[in-house]
């Protein structure tokens, strides 16, 4: 599970995951609940810099293998104490 409580599933078996997954690498599954999916190496454009938007030089996460962002809230209680 991700820090926001949603489950993380394996890669989708689809030709173009960008047609199915949102900006966080998630989607609503067949059971109606939200879930994240990991991406396969071939699904990530590694020609882009890891953490830079070439157009304006601002930070952006280009290599989103697992999560691109969190869909739900991440609260301090979720993190606990380590």
């Amino acid at each position: 599970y991700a820090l926001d409580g949603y489950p993380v599933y394996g890669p989708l078996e689809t030709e173009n995951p960008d047609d199915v997954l949102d900006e966080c690498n998630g989607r609503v599954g067949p059971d109606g609940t939200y879930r994240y999916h990991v991406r396969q190496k071939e699904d990530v454009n590694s020609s882009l810099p890891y953490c830079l938007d070439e157009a304006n030089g601002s930070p952006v996460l280009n290599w989103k293998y697992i999560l691109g962002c969190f869909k739900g809230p991440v609260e301090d209680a979720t993190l606990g104490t380590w």
Side-chain angles (χ1 to χ4, degrees):
Y1 287 86
L3 291 175
D4 59 1
Y6 290 116
V8 180
Y9 286 76
L12 292 172
E13 294 187 23
T14 180
E15 184 120 352
N16 189 359
D18 287 331
D19 290 344
V20 179
L21 300 177
D22 63 18
E23 70 279 359
C24 296
N25 281 346
R27 69 181 180 117
V28 175
D31 63 356
T33 61
Y34 188 81
R35 64 196 55 205
Y36 298 107
H37 287 273
V38 297
R39 288 179 179 257
Q40 298 190 47
K41 185 177 180 183
E42 302 81 41
D43 298 334
V44 176
N45 184 351
S46 59
S47 70
L48 294 172
Y50 176 72
C51 192
L52 181 68
D53 183 350
E54 290 181 326
N56 62 21
S58 64
V60 64
L61 182 58
N62 286 320
W63 298 0
K64 298 182 268 189
Y65 287 107
I66 300 177
L67 301 180
C69 55
F70 290 107
K71 195 68 166 184
V74 178
E75 305 202 13
D76 291 339
T78 306
L79 301 175
T81 57
W82 295 59

